[in-house]
Amino acid sequence: MGASASKAGESTFSGSPLSQRVHALLSNVEASPPKHPNAEKQAPSVDVRSTPGGEPPAASASDTPLRAPVASVPACVQLSTGRKAAALAVEEGTYEGTNAFLVVLPHETDAALVQAYVIDASCVRTDPAGKGDLLLTRTYARP
């Protein structure tokens, strides 16, 4: 496994230093957060006057939207991180000539940091339920 890079220079992902790609991805996510379906609630979707006590009926499981991760990550790539945390950002590109995914997850113990994983993308085609090769992992400060 190539979990470490040359100490002489910064690893690159799709031609940019990895730290710059991570910060750019996180800046894009923070600049345009996903809109929650109920974020711009203007009026109740039910007539609260027609229910006893003026209360809306209890929501069923099918009425409650699920929270989706910020970024969608193929299963084999997520498995390769060894973590179940929702990705903050993901990008497909190249790393040392290999098609790869850059996955950014929250750091496990420090909210001021993120963990970046570079994972070989070939598992998406060859073994979607399996585990891809972890090429590199780095920790960076949140921008």
Side-chain angles (χ1 to χ4, degrees):
M1 247 196 261
S4 64
S6 164
K7 295 185 193 259
E10 169 78 33
S11 298
T12 61
F13 185 83
S14 295
S16 297
L18 187 59
S19 60
Q20 286 180 6
R21 291 301 319 135
V22 168
H23 289 140
L25 286 170
L26 291 174
S27 294
N28 288 342
V29 168
E30 290 174 7
S32 59
K35 290 197 185 252
H36 188 277
N38 295 330
E40 296 179 24
K41 213 181 232 185
Q42 295 176 0
S45 60
V46 295
D47 183 359
V48 294
R49 294 170 291 169
S50 65
T51 59
E55 301 272 334
S60 70
S62 63
D63 294 335
T64 307
L66 299 175
R67 277 192 195 179
V70 172
S72 178
V73 181
C76 65
V77 173
Q78 181 77 34
L79 188 61
S80 302
T81 68
R83 302 196 34 215
K84 294 182 180 184
L88 300 172
V90 64
E91 180 178 64
E92 192 169 357
T94 57
Y95 174 74
E96 295 184 353
T98 300
N99 289 333
F101 282 91
L102 169 57
V103 181
V104 183
L105 300 177
H107 192 271
E108 290 182 286
T109 59
D110 188 342
L113 301 174
V114 294
Q115 190 72 34
Y117 297 86
V118 179
I119 298 155
D120 188 325
S122 64
C123 69
V124 175
R125 288 186 323 277
T126 60
D127 190 10
K131 191 174 177 182
D133 291 330
L134 178 63
L135 303 174
L136 178 77
T137 183
R138 290 282 187 265
T139 302
Y140 297 104
R142 286 185 184 248

